[in-house]
Amino acid sequence: MSFTSSAAGVSSMLLGALFLACLIGASEGGNFYRDVDITWGDGRGKILRGGGGKLLSLSIDKYSGSGFESKNEYLFGRFDMQIKLVPGNSAGLVTTFYLKSRGPLRGPKHDEIDFEFLGNSTGQPYTLHTNVYAQGIGVAEQQFRLWFDPTKAFHTYSVIWNIKNIIFLVDNTPIRVFRNLKGIPYPTSQPMKVYASLWNSDDWATQGGKVKADWTNAPYTAYYSNFNTNACIWKPGKPCTLTSKDKKWGMQTLDNLGRRSIRRVQQKYMIYNYCKDPMRFKLGLPRECLRNSKF
C-alpha cells in the first residue's frame, strides 16, 4: 500500500513543520542511555554497544520477557519509535510500545495509549492491536493487519497526543484517531511515561489463546531504535506549557487527506473495530462510536 504523501493526514498548515520534525527525528533521534531505564528481564533487555545509544533489544525465553520505560513523564506530545519485530514463529508473544500513567497497570483511574503487536505462527501476519484507556475505561480496541512484513526491517510507530485528539501513525501514515469529545473519557491531566516490552501472553494473544508459545528456538528478540519525543516533559508543580516548537503537534488534527488515509487503511487492513461489535456491548455501543467514526 502506498500513499502520495508520507505525511498524509496532517493539516496542510503543519506539513512543513512535520517534515522538519521527521528530519530531526531521523538524524538525531533519542538516546536510550539517556532517555530510558531497562526495568525488568534480568539482562534480557540490552542497549547495544556500537549503536550510539540508538539501538536496544528486548528478548524473551520461557522464564521471562523484558521491558523498559522512559525516565521522563510527559503530558501531551509526539512519540516515535522504530521497531523490528520477532521473525518466524512469534505465536503467543506480544511486543509493545505504549504510554501509561503511573499507578496500577489497570487501576480504576489510569490512562493508557497502546500499540501492541500480537505474534502468530510462522508465515502468518502479526496483528497490530491499538487501544486507549481513559480514567480506567479501556474498551476502545481496533486491530489491523500491516501492509508490510514488520520483521524484515525497522518501521516507525507514532502517537500524537494533544488536547484535541490521539492519532496513531505507522510510517507517518495515520491509521486511527480517537477524539476528545464532550462527555467521553479522554486522557487530559495525568502525565504518562513511555513503555515497551516483549512478554508471553499465550493465554490470549494468538487466536484467542489456542496457539501457545513455542520455546524451541528461544530466546526471541525484538529491536527498538531511534526513540524520539517532541513532548512536554512533566515536572511536579510545574505546568506543561506549549512552546512555539511544540505547536506542530500541540493542536494537530486530521485534514481531508488524513481522513481519506484512515478510511483507506481501515477499509483494507482493519480486522476488528469495537464500534462494529454490538454483541460485545449488550446495552449499546460506547457513546463515542458514532461520533468518532465520522471522518
Side-chain angles (χ1 to χ4, degrees):
M1 179 177 184
S2 61
F3 294 96
T4 56
S5 171
S6 64
V10 179
S11 172
S12 57
M13 296 178 62
L14 296 171
L15 279 175
L18 178 60
F19 279 123
L20 177 60
C22 290
L23 290 172
I24 291 173
S27 61
E28 296 181 358
N31 186 301
F32 285 118
Y33 289 115
R34 180 192 65 211
D35 296 333
V36 311
D37 293 314
I38 297 175
T39 49
W40 63 285
D42 193 24
R44 292 172 178 82
K46 299 176 182 179
I47 300 174
L48 301 182
R49 294 180 180 179
K54 297 183 184 298
L55 185 62
L56 184 153
S57 67
L58 294 180
S59 294
I60 187 171
D61 55 35
K62 65 180 179 179
Y63 302 105
S64 179
S66 51
F68 65 88
E69 66 182 57
S70 63
K71 295 179 184 291
N72 291 318
E73 290 182 287
Y74 305 95
L75 191 62
F76 304 123
R78 175 171 176 140
F79 308 87
D80 302 285
M81 187 78 77
Q82 293 184 340
I83 307 173
K84 185 178 179 183
L85 298 177
V86 173
N89 186 359
S90 56
L93 308 183
V94 177
T95 309
T96 71
F97 162 51
Y98 63 102
L99 287 79
K100 188 185 80 69
S101 60
R102 65 175 66 185
L105 180 61
R106 293 291 180 263
K109 296 294 184 181
H110 99 285
D111 294 339
E112 186 173 331
I113 303 169
D114 293 336
F115 272 109
E116 295 184 305
F117 302 88
L118 313 185
N120 219 320
S121 302
T122 300
Q124 299 300 312
Y126 270 81
T127 295
L128 170 56
H129 178 96
T130 66
N131 199 5
V132 175
Y133 281 80
Q135 300 171 35
I137 300 172
V139 297
E141 299 97 336
Q142 290 184 355
Q143 295 182 344
F144 304 83
R145 298 291 194 214
L146 295 168
W147 49 94
F148 52 83
D149 184 343
T151 73
K152 296 295 187 183
F154 284 98
H155 291 268
T156 303
Y157 305 93
S158 307
V159 170
I160 296 171
W161 168 41
N162 60 34
I163 197 65
K164 290 180 175 288
N165 50 209
I166 296 164
I167 305 173
F168 295 79
L169 304 102
V170 175
D171 288 336
N172 219 31
T173 295
I175 65 168
R176 178 180 182 181
V177 61
F178 187 90
R179 296 188 182 91
N180 185 1
L181 301 170
K182 186 177 180 179
I184 306 301
Y186 185 87
T188 58
S189 60
Q190 296 190 86
M192 294 197 262
K193 283 191 173 186
V194 177
Y195 295 82
S197 61
L198 176 57
W199 58 292
N200 176 16
S201 189
D202 65 5
D203 58 336
W204 69 273
T206 305
Q207 298 180 33
K210 295 178 181 178
V211 183
K212 303 298 183 182
D214 177 4
W215 302 114
T216 304
N217 296 309
Y220 300 104
T221 303
Y223 294 91
Y224 292 75
S225 182
N226 288 321
F227 171 41
N228 193 54
T229 63
N230 185 358
C232 183
I233 298 175
W234 181 86
K235 300 291 184 183
K238 295 183 179 180
C240 285
T241 56
L242 296 183
T243 66
S244 58
K245 78 168 189 173
D246 296 328
K247 291 180 180 178
K248 64 175 79 53
W249 57 259
M251 302 300 287
Q252 195 165 317
T253 59
L254 294 173
D255 63 4
N256 288 334
L257 180 60
R259 289 188 285 272
R260 289 198 299 271
S261 170
I262 286 183
R263 285 197 296 268
R264 190 179 310 169
V265 170
Q266 295 192 354
Q267 287 169 2
K268 297 184 72 172
Y269 300 106
M270 177 181 280
I271 59 172
Y272 179 79
N273 182 356
Y274 75 114
C275 285
K276 300 292 180 66
D277 191 358
M279 296 300 293
R280 179 181 173 191
F281 302 100
K282 303 300 184 182
L283 299 179
L285 292 172
R287 289 180 296 166
E288 73 270 18
C289 283
L290 177 62
R291 298 164 70 187
N292 258 318
S293 64
K294 299 296 184 183
F295 297 129

